[in-house]
mmCIF file of all heavy atoms in Angstrom:
data_model
loop_
_atom_site.group_PDB
_atom_site.id
_atom_site.type_symbol
_atom_site.label_atom_id
_atom_site.label_comp_id
_atom_site.label_asym_id
_atom_site.label_seq_id
_atom_site.Cartn_x
_atom_site.Cartn_y
_atom_site.Cartn_z
ATOM 1 N N HIS D 285 0.816 -1.221 0.000
ATOM 2 C CA HIS D 285 0.000 0.000 0.000
ATOM 3 C C HIS D 285 0.846 1.265 0.000
ATOM 4 O O HIS D 285 0.428 2.299 -0.516
ATOM 5 C CB HIS D 285 -0.976 -0.014 1.176
ATOM 6 C CG HIS D 285 -2.102 -0.985 0.993
ATOM 7 N ND1 HIS D 285 -3.018 -0.875 -0.029
ATOM 8 C CD2 HIS D 285 -2.447 -2.092 1.681
ATOM 9 C CE1 HIS D 285 -3.889 -1.859 0.045
ATOM 10 N NE2 HIS D 285 -3.567 -2.627 1.067
ATOM 11 N N ILE D 286 2.054 1.182 0.548
ATOM 12 C CA ILE D 286 2.956 2.339 0.541
ATOM 13 C C ILE D 286 3.264 2.770 -0.893
ATOM 14 O O ILE D 286 3.387 3.954 -1.184
ATOM 15 C CB ILE D 286 4.252 2.008 1.319
ATOM 16 C CG1 ILE D 286 3.996 2.143 2.819
ATOM 17 C CG2 ILE D 286 5.396 2.913 0.892
ATOM 18 C CD1 ILE D 286 5.190 1.765 3.674
ATOM 19 N N ASP D 287 3.355 1.795 -1.794
ATOM 20 C CA ASP D 287 3.671 2.103 -3.198
ATOM 21 C C ASP D 287 2.654 3.056 -3.825
ATOM 22 O O ASP D 287 2.993 3.829 -4.718
ATOM 23 C CB ASP D 287 3.744 0.818 -4.029
ATOM 24 C CG ASP D 287 4.983 -0.008 -3.705
ATOM 25 O OD1 ASP D 287 5.957 0.568 -3.171
ATOM 26 O OD2 ASP D 287 4.979 -1.218 -3.974
ATOM 27 N N LYS D 288 1.403 3.014 -3.348
ATOM 28 C CA LYS D 288 0.367 3.878 -3.916
ATOM 29 C C LYS D 288 0.672 5.361 -3.715
ATOM 30 O O LYS D 288 0.210 6.201 -4.476
ATOM 31 C CB LYS D 288 -0.999 3.574 -3.263
ATOM 32 C CG LYS D 288 -1.539 2.193 -3.543
ATOM 33 C CD LYS D 288 -2.851 1.992 -2.811
ATOM 34 C CE LYS D 288 -3.424 0.613 -3.056
ATOM 35 N NZ LYS D 288 -4.680 0.402 -2.322
ATOM 36 N N PHE D 289 1.440 5.674 -2.673
ATOM 37 C CA PHE D 289 1.717 7.076 -2.369
ATOM 38 C C PHE D 289 2.737 7.684 -3.321
ATOM 39 O O PHE D 289 2.760 8.892 -3.523
ATOM 40 C CB PHE D 289 2.171 7.226 -0.916
ATOM 41 C CG PHE D 289 1.036 7.148 0.062
ATOM 42 C CD1 PHE D 289 0.512 5.921 0.442
ATOM 43 C CD2 PHE D 289 0.472 8.300 0.582
ATOM 44 C CE1 PHE D 289 -0.548 5.851 1.336
ATOM 45 C CE2 PHE D 289 -0.589 8.241 1.473
ATOM 46 C CZ PHE D 289 -1.101 7.007 1.848
ATOM 47 N N GLY D 290 3.595 6.853 -3.895
ATOM 48 C CA GLY D 290 4.535 7.347 -4.899
ATOM 49 C C GLY D 290 5.615 8.273 -4.366
ATOM 50 O O GLY D 290 6.143 9.104 -5.106
ATOM 51 N N VAL D 291 5.925 8.181 -3.071
ATOM 52 C CA VAL D 291 7.027 8.967 -2.513
ATOM 53 C C VAL D 291 8.005 8.016 -1.843
ATOM 54 O O VAL D 291 7.651 6.896 -1.491
ATOM 55 C CB VAL D 291 6.539 10.025 -1.492
ATOM 56 C CG1 VAL D 291 5.649 11.053 -2.165
ATOM 57 C CG2 VAL D 291 5.834 9.387 -0.310
ATOM 58 N N GLY D 292 9.229 8.453 -1.680
ATOM 59 C CA GLY D 292 10.258 7.604 -1.088
ATOM 60 C C GLY D 292 10.414 7.831 0.403
ATOM 61 O O GLY D 292 9.596 8.508 1.044
ATOM 62 N N PRO D 293 11.494 7.274 0.970
ATOM 63 C CA PRO D 293 11.728 7.340 2.416
ATOM 64 C C PRO D 293 11.886 8.756 2.963
ATOM 65 O O PRO D 293 11.762 8.964 4.160
ATOM 66 C CB PRO D 293 13.037 6.567 2.612
ATOM 67 C CG PRO D 293 13.258 5.806 1.371
ATOM 68 C CD PRO D 293 12.505 6.486 0.282
ATOM 69 N N GLU D 294 12.126 9.717 2.068
ATOM 70 C CA GLU D 294 12.273 11.093 2.565
ATOM 71 C C GLU D 294 10.954 11.654 3.092
ATOM 72 O O GLU D 294 10.946 12.534 3.947
ATOM 73 C CB GLU D 294 12.853 12.011 1.475
ATOM 74 C CG GLU D 294 11.975 12.239 0.264
ATOM 75 C CD GLU D 294 11.939 11.078 -0.732
ATOM 76 O OE1 GLU D 294 12.738 10.123 -0.593
ATOM 77 O OE2 GLU D 294 11.112 11.138 -1.659
ATOM 78 N N ARG D 295 9.802 11.130 2.608
ATOM 79 C CA ARG D 295 8.512 11.636 3.081
ATOM 80 C C ARG D 295 7.575 10.535 3.583
ATOM 81 O O ARG D 295 6.478 10.830 4.044
ATOM 82 C CB ARG D 295 7.826 12.425 1.958
ATOM 83 C CG ARG D 295 8.592 13.678 1.592
ATOM 84 C CD ARG D 295 7.767 14.923 1.518
ATOM 85 N NE ARG D 295 6.556 14.813 0.761
ATOM 86 C CZ ARG D 295 6.477 14.914 -0.572
ATOM 87 N NH1 ARG D 295 7.547 15.132 -1.290
ATOM 88 N NH2 ARG D 295 5.319 14.827 -1.169
ATOM 89 N N MET D 296 8.003 9.292 3.490
ATOM 90 C CA MET D 296 7.207 8.166 3.989
ATOM 91 C C MET D 296 7.925 7.567 5.191
ATOM 92 O O MET D 296 9.108 7.226 5.114
ATOM 93 C CB MET D 296 7.044 7.100 2.908
ATOM 94 C CG MET D 296 6.315 5.846 3.363
ATOM 95 S SD MET D 296 4.594 6.089 3.837
ATOM 96 C CE MET D 296 3.831 6.451 2.252
ATOM 97 N N MET D 297 7.208 7.458 6.315
ATOM 98 C CA MET D 297 7.767 6.838 7.512
ATOM 99 C C MET D 297 6.978 5.568 7.820
ATOM 100 O O MET D 297 5.844 5.417 7.379
ATOM 101 C CB MET D 297 7.709 7.811 8.687
ATOM 102 C CG MET D 297 8.641 8.998 8.534
ATOM 103 S SD MET D 297 8.390 10.274 9.789
ATOM 104 C CE MET D 297 7.079 11.229 9.013
ATOM 105 N N PHE D 298 7.597 4.695 8.590
ATOM 106 C CA PHE D 298 6.978 3.404 8.895
ATOM 107 C C PHE D 298 7.288 3.022 10.334
ATOM 108 O O PHE D 298 8.393 3.225 10.821
ATOM 109 C CB PHE D 298 7.522 2.335 7.941
ATOM 110 C CG PHE D 298 7.108 0.935 8.289
ATOM 111 C CD1 PHE D 298 5.810 0.507 8.049
ATOM 112 C CD2 PHE D 298 8.000 0.059 8.879
ATOM 113 C CE1 PHE D 298 5.407 -0.785 8.384
ATOM 114 C CE2 PHE D 298 7.610 -1.235 9.209
ATOM 115 C CZ PHE D 298 6.320 -1.651 8.961
ATOM 116 N N LEU D 299 6.271 2.460 11.015
ATOM 117 C CA LEU D 299 6.508 1.899 12.340
ATOM 118 C C LEU D 299 5.654 0.660 12.527
ATOM 119 O O LEU D 299 4.655 0.461 11.843
ATOM 120 C CB LEU D 299 6.263 2.930 13.444
ATOM 121 C CG LEU D 299 4.856 3.480 13.662
ATOM 122 C CD1 LEU D 299 4.084 2.617 14.660
ATOM 123 C CD2 LEU D 299 4.934 4.903 14.196
ATOM 124 N N VAL D 300 6.096 -0.176 13.449
ATOM 125 C CA VAL D 300 5.368 -1.405 13.797
ATOM 126 C C VAL D 300 4.728 -1.202 15.158
ATOM 127 O O VAL D 300 5.384 -0.776 16.118
ATOM 128 C CB VAL D 300 6.311 -2.622 13.825
ATOM 129 C CG1 VAL D 300 5.566 -3.867 14.304
ATOM 130 C CG2 VAL D 300 6.921 -2.867 12.452
ATOM 131 N N ASN D 301 3.437 -1.499 15.243
ATOM 132 C CA ASN D 301 2.693 -1.373 16.490
ATOM 133 C C ASN D 301 2.400 -2.764 17.049
ATOM 134 O O ASN D 301 2.363 -3.744 16.315
ATOM 135 C CB ASN D 301 1.378 -0.616 16.226
ATOM 136 C CG ASN D 301 0.733 -0.121 17.494
ATOM 137 O OD1 ASN D 301 1.368 -0.025 18.536
ATOM 138 N ND2 ASN D 301 -0.540 0.200 17.411
ATOM 139 N N LYS D 302 2.200 -2.823 18.359
ATOM 140 C CA LYS D 302 1.846 -4.068 19.041
ATOM 141 C C LYS D 302 2.912 -5.150 18.849
ATOM 142 O O LYS D 302 2.614 -6.325 18.626
ATOM 143 C CB LYS D 302 0.475 -4.578 18.583
ATOM 144 C CG LYS D 302 -0.640 -3.588 18.870
ATOM 145 C CD LYS D 302 -1.981 -4.127 18.442
ATOM 146 C CE LYS D 302 -3.091 -3.113 18.728
ATOM 147 N NZ LYS D 302 -4.393 -3.591 18.289
ATOM 148 N N MET D 303 4.174 -4.757 18.948
ATOM 149 C CA MET D 303 5.286 -5.697 18.799
ATOM 150 C C MET D 303 5.341 -6.630 20.001
ATOM 151 O O MET D 303 5.211 -6.192 21.146
ATOM 152 C CB MET D 303 6.593 -4.910 18.678
ATOM 153 C CG MET D 303 7.795 -5.776 18.411
ATOM 154 S SD MET D 303 7.670 -6.514 16.773
ATOM 155 C CE MET D 303 9.252 -6.110 16.114
ATOM 156 N N THR D 304 5.502 -7.916 19.732
ATOM 157 C CA THR D 304 5.596 -8.919 20.796
ATOM 158 C C THR D 304 6.959 -9.598 20.733
ATOM 159 O O THR D 304 7.630 -9.570 19.701
ATOM 160 C CB THR D 304 4.502 -9.995 20.640
ATOM 161 O OG1 THR D 304 4.626 -10.601 19.353
ATOM 162 C CG2 THR D 304 3.112 -9.377 20.790
ATOM 163 N N ALA D 305 7.340 -10.192 21.841
ATOM 164 C CA ALA D 305 8.648 -10.854 21.912
ATOM 165 C C ALA D 305 8.751 -12.012 20.930
ATOM 166 O O ALA D 305 9.837 -12.333 20.444
ATOM 167 C CB ALA D 305 8.893 -11.348 23.333
ATOM 168 N N ASP D 306 7.623 -12.655 20.599
ATOM 169 C CA ASP D 306 7.667 -13.811 19.696
ATOM 170 C C ASP D 306 7.413 -13.437 18.231
ATOM 171 O O ASP D 306 7.261 -14.308 17.375
ATOM 172 C CB ASP D 306 6.668 -14.882 20.138
ATOM 173 C CG ASP D 306 5.222 -14.384 20.127
ATOM 174 O OD1 ASP D 306 5.005 -13.163 19.980
ATOM 175 O OD2 ASP D 306 4.313 -15.227 20.273
ATOM 176 N N SER D 307 7.396 -12.144 17.927
ATOM 177 C CA SER D 307 7.188 -11.723 16.541
ATOM 178 C C SER D 307 8.361 -12.175 15.669
ATOM 179 O O SER D 307 9.513 -12.137 16.109
ATOM 180 C CB SER D 307 7.074 -10.194 16.461
ATOM 181 O OG SER D 307 7.112 -9.770 15.110
ATOM 182 N N PRO D 308 8.076 -12.618 14.439
ATOM 183 C CA PRO D 308 9.164 -13.027 13.551
ATOM 184 C C PRO D 308 9.953 -11.845 12.989
ATOM 185 O O PRO D 308 10.976 -12.029 12.337
ATOM 186 C CB PRO D 308 8.426 -13.758 12.419
ATOM 187 C CG PRO D 308 7.072 -13.137 12.390
ATOM 188 C CD PRO D 308 6.760 -12.798 13.822
ATOM 189 N N LEU D 309 9.503 -10.633 13.257
ATOM 190 C CA LEU D 309 10.163 -9.456 12.704
ATOM 191 C C LEU D 309 11.441 -9.127 13.480
ATOM 192 O O LEU D 309 11.496 -9.257 14.684
ATOM 193 C CB LEU D 309 9.231 -8.243 12.754
ATOM 194 C CG LEU D 309 7.949 -8.351 11.939
ATOM 195 C CD1 LEU D 309 7.086 -7.119 12.163
ATOM 196 C CD2 LEU D 309 8.254 -8.513 10.459
ATOM 197 N N SER D 310 12.428 -8.713 12.747
ATOM 198 C CA SER D 310 13.668 -8.224 13.342
ATOM 199 C C SER D 310 14.019 -6.924 12.632
ATOM 200 O O SER D 310 13.444 -6.601 11.587
ATOM 201 C CB SER D 310 14.797 -9.242 13.150
ATOM 202 O OG SER D 310 15.088 -9.364 11.753
ATOM 203 N N GLN D 311 14.979 -6.198 13.184
ATOM 204 C CA GLN D 311 15.412 -4.952 12.545
ATOM 205 C C GLN D 311 15.940 -5.235 11.141
ATOM 206 O O GLN D 311 15.700 -4.470 10.205
ATOM 207 C CB GLN D 311 16.484 -4.266 13.402
ATOM 208 C CG GLN D 311 16.785 -2.848 12.989
ATOM 209 C CD GLN D 311 15.571 -1.924 13.105
ATOM 210 O OE1 GLN D 311 14.760 -2.058 14.012
ATOM 211 N NE2 GLN D 311 15.450 -0.993 12.189
ATOM 212 N N GLU D 312 16.622 -6.368 10.985
ATOM 213 C CA GLU D 312 17.172 -6.738 9.668
ATOM 214 C C GLU D 312 16.050 -6.996 8.656
ATOM 215 O O GLU D 312 16.102 -6.526 7.520
ATOM 216 C CB GLU D 312 18.037 -7.994 9.814
ATOM 217 C CG GLU D 312 18.635 -8.466 8.507
ATOM 218 C CD GLU D 312 19.340 -9.817 8.630
ATOM 219 O OE1 GLU D 312 19.708 -10.198 9.755
ATOM 220 O OE2 GLU D 312 19.502 -10.470 7.593
ATOM 221 N N ILE D 313 15.020 -7.725 9.069
ATOM 222 C CA ILE D 313 13.889 -8.002 8.165
ATOM 223 C C ILE D 313 13.168 -6.707 7.816
ATOM 224 O O ILE D 313 12.830 -6.466 6.649
ATOM 225 C CB ILE D 313 12.918 -9.021 8.802
ATOM 226 C CG1 ILE D 313 13.556 -10.407 8.856
ATOM 227 C CG2 ILE D 313 11.593 -9.069 8.034
ATOM 228 C CD1 ILE D 313 12.745 -11.436 9.622
ATOM 229 N N LEU D 314 12.947 -5.841 8.812
ATOM 230 C CA LEU D 314 12.276 -4.575 8.537
ATOM 231 C C LEU D 314 13.083 -3.725 7.569
ATOM 232 O O LEU D 314 12.541 -3.132 6.634
ATOM 233 C CB LEU D 314 12.040 -3.809 9.838
ATOM 234 C CG LEU D 314 10.984 -4.377 10.779
ATOM 235 C CD1 LEU D 314 10.939 -3.575 12.069
ATOM 236 C CD2 LEU D 314 9.610 -4.385 10.114
ATOM 237 N N GLN D 315 14.385 -3.670 7.769
ATOM 238 C CA GLN D 315 15.232 -2.870 6.889
ATOM 239 C C GLN D 315 15.213 -3.428 5.467
ATOM 240 O O GLN D 315 15.131 -2.677 4.496
ATOM 241 C CB GLN D 315 16.661 -2.827 7.436
ATOM 242 C CG GLN D 315 17.544 -1.789 6.779
ATOM 243 C CD GLN D 315 17.013 -0.374 6.957
ATOM 244 O OE1 GLN D 315 16.637 0.035 8.056
ATOM 245 N NE2 GLN D 315 16.945 0.381 5.874
ATOM 246 N N ARG D 316 15.246 -4.758 5.349
ATOM 247 C CA ARG D 316 15.272 -5.380 4.025
ATOM 248 C C ARG D 316 13.942 -5.199 3.294
ATOM 249 O O ARG D 316 13.925 -4.951 2.091
ATOM 250 C CB ARG D 316 15.601 -6.875 4.176
ATOM 251 C CG ARG D 316 15.905 -7.565 2.854
ATOM 252 C CD ARG D 316 16.400 -8.987 3.039
ATOM 253 N NE ARG D 316 15.406 -9.838 3.670
ATOM 254 C CZ ARG D 316 15.587 -10.477 4.825
ATOM 255 N NH1 ARG D 316 16.706 -10.362 5.497
ATOM 256 N NH2 ARG D 316 14.634 -11.244 5.321
ATOM 257 N N THR D 317 12.828 -5.306 4.013
ATOM 258 C CA THR D 317 11.525 -5.237 3.351
ATOM 259 C C THR D 317 11.008 -3.814 3.176
ATOM 260 O O THR D 317 10.306 -3.518 2.213
ATOM 261 C CB THR D 317 10.465 -6.048 4.136
ATOM 262 O OG1 THR D 317 10.402 -5.557 5.470
ATOM 263 C CG2 THR D 317 10.782 -7.526 4.125
ATOM 264 N N MET D 318 11.357 -2.911 4.118
ATOM 265 C CA MET D 318 10.768 -1.576 4.091
ATOM 266 C C MET D 318 11.772 -0.452 3.866
ATOM 267 O O MET D 318 11.380 0.666 3.520
ATOM 268 C CB MET D 318 10.043 -1.303 5.417
ATOM 269 C CG MET D 318 8.931 -2.272 5.715
ATOM 270 S SD MET D 318 7.581 -2.220 4.529
ATOM 271 C CE MET D 318 6.827 -0.678 4.958
ATOM 272 N N GLY D 319 13.051 -0.715 4.059
ATOM 273 C CA GLY D 319 14.067 0.337 4.064
ATOM 274 C C GLY D 319 14.141 1.185 2.813
ATOM 275 O O GLY D 319 14.424 2.378 2.892
ATOM 276 N N VAL D 320 13.874 0.598 1.637
ATOM 277 C CA VAL D 320 13.949 1.396 0.406
ATOM 278 C C VAL D 320 12.661 2.176 0.173
ATOM 279 O O VAL D 320 12.629 3.080 -0.647
ATOM 280 C CB VAL D 320 14.250 0.518 -0.835
ATOM 281 C CG1 VAL D 320 15.616 -0.122 -0.711
ATOM 282 C CG2 VAL D 320 13.183 -0.529 -1.034
ATOM 283 N N LYS D 321 11.605 1.846 0.897
ATOM 284 C CA LYS D 321 10.306 2.489 0.685
ATOM 285 C C LYS D 321 9.984 3.548 1.740
ATOM 286 O O LYS D 321 9.233 4.478 1.476
ATOM 287 C CB LYS D 321 9.199 1.437 0.680
ATOM 288 C CG LYS D 321 9.350 0.450 -0.469
ATOM 289 C CD LYS D 321 8.231 -0.545 -0.476
ATOM 290 C CE LYS D 321 8.375 -1.508 -1.638
ATOM 291 N NZ LYS D 321 8.153 -0.876 -2.923
ATOM 292 N N ALA D 322 10.535 3.379 2.948
ATOM 293 C CA ALA D 322 10.173 4.270 4.041
ATOM 294 C C ALA D 322 11.313 4.375 5.049
ATOM 295 O O ALA D 322 12.152 3.481 5.131
ATOM 296 C CB ALA D 322 8.917 3.747 4.743
ATOM 297 N N THR D 323 11.302 5.456 5.795
ATOM 298 C CA THR D 323 12.224 5.580 6.919
ATOM 299 C C THR D 323 11.611 4.831 8.095
ATOM 300 O O THR D 323 10.483 5.133 8.508
ATOM 301 C CB THR D 323 12.430 7.061 7.303
ATOM 302 O OG1 THR D 323 13.008 7.738 6.188
ATOM 303 C CG2 THR D 323 13.336 7.189 8.513
ATOM 304 N N ILE D 324 12.323 3.850 8.593
ATOM 305 C CA ILE D 324 11.800 3.032 9.689
ATOM 306 C C ILE D 324 12.026 3.787 10.995
ATOM 307 O O ILE D 324 13.159 4.057 11.392
ATOM 308 C CB ILE D 324 12.480 1.648 9.714
ATOM 309 C CG1 ILE D 324 12.191 0.929 8.394
ATOM 310 C CG2 ILE D 324 11.992 0.827 10.908
ATOM 311 C CD1 ILE D 324 13.000 -0.309 8.156
ATOM 312 N N MET D 325 10.918 4.133 11.649
ATOM 313 C CA MET D 325 10.981 4.939 12.859
ATOM 314 C C MET D 325 11.163 4.086 14.113
ATOM 315 O O MET D 325 11.698 4.562 15.105
ATOM 316 C CB MET D 325 9.715 5.799 12.984
ATOM 317 C CG MET D 325 9.490 6.743 11.814
ATOM 318 S SD MET D 325 10.875 7.857 11.446
ATOM 319 C CE MET D 325 10.866 8.908 12.888
ATOM 320 N N GLY D 326 10.702 2.832 14.085
ATOM 321 C CA GLY D 326 10.864 1.962 15.242
ATOM 322 C C GLY D 326 9.643 1.111 15.486
ATOM 323 O O GLY D 326 8.788 0.946 14.609
#
């Protein structure tokens, strides 16, 4: 859905809500999947 906005990480930010200890997400996965599309805020 971020692609619909047509802007890059300079104006698109991203965060993950409701993070749990057993989530499969890591900083590396977030950077690889979202880093070119948005600035990862945390």
Side-chain angles (χ1 to χ4, degrees):
H285 287 298
I286 280 177
D287 289 339
K288 295 178 180 179
F289 283 80
V291 296
E294 66 283 351
R295 295 229 312 278
M296 176 64 69
M297 292 171 274
F298 172 74
L299 65 90
V300 175
N301 195 18
K302 300 181 180 178
M303 185 67 130
T304 57
D306 61 349
S307 170
L309 298 176
S310 65
Q311 192 62 36
E312 179 188 339
I313 290 173
L314 289 176
Q315 193 61 47
R316 191 173 63 240
T317 57
M318 300 297 288
V320 296
K321 297 182 179 291
T323 298
I324 299 169
M325 301 305 292

